Amino acid sequence: MSNAAETRSFEAEVSQVLHLVTHSLYSHKEIFLRELVSNASDACDKLRFAALSNASLTADDSELRIEVSWDKDARTLTIRDNGIGMGREEVIENIGTIARSGTRRFLESLSGDARKDTQLIGQFGVGFYSAFIVADRVTLVTRKAGAPAGEGVRWQSSGSGDYTIEAVDEPRRGTTVTLHLKQDEGEFLDGWRLRDLIKRYSDHVAFPIRVPVEKDGKPSDEWETVNHAAALWTRPKGEIADDEYQAFYKSLSHDFNDALAWAHNRVEGSQSYTSLLYVPEKQPFDAVFSGRDERHGLKLYIRRVFIMDASEQLLPAYLRFVRGVVDSDDLPLNVSREILQENRLVAQIRSACVKRTLDLLEKVAKDEPAKYQQFTNAFGNVLKEGVAEDGANRERIAKLLRFASTHGDDAQKNVSLDDYIGRMQAGQDVVWYVTADTHAAAKGSPQIESLRARGIEVLLLSDRIDEWMIGYLGEYAGKKLRNAAKGELEAADGADAEQRKQVEEEARPMLDKLAGVLGDKVEQVRVSHRLTGSPSCIVLGEYDMALHMQRLLREAGHDVPASKPVLEVNPRHPLVQRFAAEDEAARSEDLGRLLLEEAQLAAGDQLADPAAFIARMNRLLAS
């Protein structure tokens, strides 16, 4: 039996709000299925809670569930639940008013232990209207649990300024939402596509989500459950095997490899949330080769319902390699559920996720060095960004970094700053390093010759990020970090000031002659205390950018202020002595220019006139 339908107007500027919902509020249109399934889960959750004090509400059908079905001929998609349902006034209040949420009202009516017992998801009535993203007409039929069949309600709207509502006979409790899909939304009439969306967005909803079994390409009367209906991260850690953690990681990250390590934590108190954080062993396949545009990182859940991919508010960019989930009981979202509101709870969760990730990396570095070497090879350069970005954790991040050094013979980045400090010579209070384009260039840098001659270890930094990163890391554990290619360096042979002065005086005629040849191409020419085997080297000021970085920035189109380098020469080297003894002006100029150009090349600079350099080399070789 059905009464005459009543047409009513929405209680808000619905046409404007619906336009916002369908065109601006959601970044992916398939979100509508998540919203409607979440609403259905809410309804089941409310009935389960109500049945604790009134068991008769579920006496006729105790298995709470959600069913998703489709009809290709009628072009309809139906989401049905056997949850709490609604009466006529609730439909008008909750569906007829934009941004009114029955779940929110219900939640606000609870307090104390009763509130803790609920696991309600929906907080915004706007979620229902996401149906109009893909549908040009939506029909809702509902009956409240415990009400007679004659008190069913049918609500229908095309998303314009009004809707119809009427009383109908409805033998089943709960709510059925039927979407009459738009002409170009046929993808949501495909069983495989719907299963995929349910597994992606609602796999961990606590109630079974069922779809019809397809036979001969058509839905049958037989149903199958497509979600797990249980979140791995909600289970106690002691009950989860390593294989289960690894299997979940692979499904979460689409990675073929195992995770390197993970941290699983549950926080209770003023805010309650669970975090499960994974550090990959290698860069996941999809992150390298996928054309998808979404960020990778943490997935945000609210009470086991997937909200968004890679929520950047929960981890800083330098930890973007971390995979995992954060499942909060009370994290506030904006109206679309997609964007976190900035507040104290978000900041606390972010801080905790950062701390746990750094704790996890420190544990792996200490207990499993071989595994940590894998991490360094894959993500060491990303972690270096944190030295600049996260001042509060700068020392902790620096502790986790690994570098190549003159202590080893290969290019393996396996030396920590603590390792270096532990090997420092008596009286040494500086951590020496040098930056270059490649490891070979750093290892062969003439600026570190005297340090190596004295047995002083030098860190060899050859990644592009190093020059930028090290500028933010002035010291570590009370030790200053210093670039061996910048500023003045004390004598390597233990000579006192009087002896050094004598050497410089003896070399003065040669220095003046070389300065005259080079003119304004250099700031100064001076005797070097860095060099033992090379004839010359470029030395920069303490705060000047390395020449190879200047070159890279220019190639990228940036303006780099011109600066004149200091040229240091080794008076004992045969090439410098030949220059000093050369009387013929042309050969003197060739030799002087060659001393500068060799030093520039060794420092990673690019010659302004390579052809002239080659011609000079040829003339000198021929002579």
Side-chain angles (χ1 to χ4, degrees):
M1 175 180 167
S2 175
N3 296 329
E6 178 185 355
T7 300
R8 298 173 63 98
S9 296
F10 284 105
E11 295 183 18
E13 296 295 333
V14 171
S15 59
Q16 296 177 21
V17 175
L18 286 180
H19 185 275
L20 173 67
V21 169
T22 57
H23 294 90
S24 304
L25 203 56
Y26 295 94
S27 54
H28 303 292
K29 62 183 178 181
E30 66 263 22
I31 295 296
F32 82 90
L33 188 60
R34 179 194 74 190
E35 295 296 310
L36 296 179
V37 168
S38 293
N39 289 345
S41 177
D42 290 345
C44 292
D45 232 331
K46 283 189 274 190
L47 179 58
R48 182 170 61 181
F49 187 83
L52 294 176
S53 55
N54 184 2
S56 64
L57 293 177
T58 57
D60 58 335
D61 187 3
S62 59
E63 184 193 358
L64 298 173
R65 62 192 179 275
I66 301 164
E67 296 173 349
V68 179
S69 59
W70 63 95
D71 186 330
K72 290 186 178 181
D73 295 332
R75 294 189 60 78
T76 59
L77 174 65
T78 301
I79 296 92
R80 165 161 179 78
D81 67 76
N82 62 345
I84 194 72
M86 292 179 284
R88 176 186 172 86
E89 294 307 314
E90 288 175 300
V91 172
I92 293 172
E93 182 178 11
N94 297 327
I95 304 298
T97 303
I98 292 291
R100 179 71 60 81
S101 172
T103 299
R104 189 185 184 101
R105 285 284 188 86
F106 179 74
L107 194 62
E108 289 172 351
S109 71
L110 302 177
S111 61
D113 293 336
R115 180 163 183 158
K116 292 179 183 177
D117 288 340
T118 64
Q119 293 185 336
L120 307 177
I121 301 163
Q123 299 264 339
F124 298 98
V126 171
F128 172 80
Y129 291 93
S130 64
F132 289 104
I133 298 173
V134 297
D136 51 24
R137 182 160 53 93
V138 177
T139 302
L140 177 146
V141 178
T142 184
R143 174 171 71 81
K144 193 169 182 67
E151 293 187 10
V153 180
R154 178 188 290 133
W155 178 99
Q156 188 165 269
S157 176
S158 60
S160 56
D162 53 35
Y163 61 89
T164 60
I165 187 168
E166 60 184 312
V168 296
D169 285 332
E170 174 56 45
R172 300 176 298 179
R173 72 163 192 265
T175 301
T176 303
V177 179
T178 302
L179 283 64
H180 304 265
L181 297 177
K182 297 175 182 177
Q183 195 60 39
D184 57 348
E185 302 298 347
E187 64 177 294
F188 301 110
L189 295 172
D190 179 85
W192 182 89
R193 170 72 165 146
L194 294 171
R195 286 178 175 86
D196 180 65
L197 292 175
I198 290 169
K199 288 179 180 179
R200 180 184 180 194
Y201 287 107
S202 306
D203 193 50
H204 302 291
V205 167
F207 304 97
I209 304 174
R210 310 195 310 180
V211 299
V213 175
E214 292 186 83
K215 295 181 179 179
D216 299 324
K218 294 183 178 180
S220 67
D221 294 333
E222 185 181 345
W223 296 86
E224 64 173 333
T225 300
V226 294
N227 68 316
H228 284 99
L232 176 136
W233 62 83
T234 63
R235 293 161 51 191
K237 289 189 287 187
E239 297 178 4
I240 307 174
D242 286 355
D243 288 346
E244 292 180 276
Y245 275 120
Q246 294 286 15
F248 179 70
Y249 165 74
K250 290 176 180 177
S251 68
L252 181 78
S253 64
H254 307 288
D255 192 358
F256 298 122
N257 303 297
D258 284 342
L260 186 79
W262 59 87
H264 187 185
N265 298 91
R266 172 68 183 170
V267 175
E268 301 279 0
S270 58
Q271 60 173 330
S272 299
Y273 65 91
T274 299
S275 64
L276 176 52
L277 310 177
Y278 288 95
V279 174
E281 186 177 272
K282 300 177 181 177
Q283 186 84 305
F285 181 86
D286 68 334
V288 178
F289 297 104
S290 172
R292 295 185 302 169
D293 61 355
E294 58 254 48
R295 290 185 68 242
H296 299 274
L298 297 185
K299 293 182 181 291
L300 173 65
Y301 288 77
I302 302 292
R303 303 175 191 89
R304 298 189 306 276
V305 173
F306 175 70
I307 299 298
M308 63 191 292
D309 271 315
S311 31
E312 60 270 22
Q313 292 93 335
L314 299 180
L315 272 181
Y318 73 89
L319 294 178
R320 58 184 176 274
F321 53 83
V322 175
R323 302 293 187 266
V325 299
V326 171
D327 187 353
S328 173
D329 295 343
D330 48 14
L331 200 60
L333 301 172
N334 73 353
V335 73
S336 73
R337 299 193 194 188
E338 290 194 271
I339 303 171
L340 289 172
Q341 295 174 351
E342 285 294 335
N343 74 350
R344 183 175 55 83
L345 298 182
V346 175
Q348 289 176 353
I349 292 178
R350 177 188 172 99
S351 177
C353 287
V354 171
K355 180 181 182 301
R356 290 194 177 98
T357 301
L358 297 180
D359 286 345
L360 179 61
L361 293 176
E362 287 175 356
K363 184 176 186 299
V364 175
K366 179 182 177 182
D367 298 340
E368 301 175 279
K371 270 192 174 184
Y372 192 74
Q373 189 62 52
Q374 287 182 280
F375 166 79
T376 295
N377 296 340
F379 304 107
N381 283 351
V382 180
L383 188 63
K384 288 175 183 177
E385 297 174 17
V387 172
E389 295 175 5
D390 190 353
N393 290 299
R394 183 169 295 151
E395 189 96 351
R396 292 193 70 186
I397 297 167
K399 183 182 182 72
L400 292 166
L401 301 182
R402 298 293 183 268
F403 307 96
S405 88
T406 54
H407 183 73
D409 294 327
D410 56 23
Q412 186 82 296
K413 298 181 179 72
N414 55 9
V415 176
S416 70
L417 291 172
D418 288 332
D419 292 337
Y420 181 101
I421 291 172
R423 292 193 289 262
M424 286 174 65
Q425 295 185 2
Q428 181 184 346
D429 59 356
V430 172
V431 175
W432 291 100
Y433 69 90
V434 67
T435 63
D437 243 351
T438 65
H439 174 76
K443 187 175 182 179
S445 174
Q447 289 95 334
I448 66 173
E449 288 177 354
S450 69
L451 294 173
R452 298 190 70 170
R454 285 182 282 172
I456 295 176
E457 185 175 358
V458 181
L459 299 178
L460 306 175
L461 312 186
S462 57
D463 294 316
R464 289 189 174 187
I465 193 175
D466 288 336
E467 179 76 17
W468 173 77
M469 176 272 296
I470 208 74
Y472 291 88
L473 190 64
E475 65 175 48
Y476 174 80
K479 305 293 184 181
K480 184 178 179 182
L481 275 70
R482 185 172 170 193
N483 192 330
K486 295 182 180 181
E488 293 202 42
L489 190 65
E490 65 275 10
D493 56 6
D496 59 27
E498 194 62 36
Q499 290 174 308
R500 293 199 300 271
K501 185 177 179 181
Q502 182 180 348
V503 171
E504 290 169 3
E505 286 299 324
E506 291 174 355
R508 178 55 52 193
M510 178 271 296
L511 297 176
D512 291 341
K513 180 181 177 182
L514 185 55
V517 168
L518 299 179
D520 61 0
K521 290 181 173 58
V522 294
E523 179 70 28
Q524 181 188 359
V525 179
R526 67 191 182 204
V527 171
S528 178
H529 301 295
R530 288 177 165 83
L531 301 172
T532 59
S534 298
S536 61
C537 69
I538 290 292
V539 177
L540 301 174
E542 286 287 348
Y543 304 104
D544 288 344
M545 186 183 300
L547 295 180
H548 69 276
M549 279 301 296
Q550 294 183 29
R551 173 173 55 81
L552 291 173
L553 289 175
R554 289 193 192 98
E555 291 172 355
H558 297 281
D559 291 329
V560 179
S563 61
K564 296 178 183 179
V566 171
L567 181 67
E568 289 191 351
V569 293
N570 177 5
R572 293 182 292 273
H573 194 278
L575 188 60
V576 176
Q577 292 175 349
R578 180 181 173 186
F579 167 78
E582 182 60 59
D583 294 327
E584 207 277 315
R587 279 199 295 272
S588 286
E589 182 164 350
D590 282 346
L591 286 166
R593 291 285 188 90
L594 185 62
L595 288 171
L596 173 62
E597 289 167 337
E598 281 187 350
Q600 288 175 316
L601 289 172
D605 200 6
Q606 192 168 22
L607 298 183
D609 191 351
F613 168 73
I614 293 171
R616 264 189 291 279
M617 286 288 295
N618 289 339
R619 285 195 298 270
L620 290 170
L621 288 171
S623 66

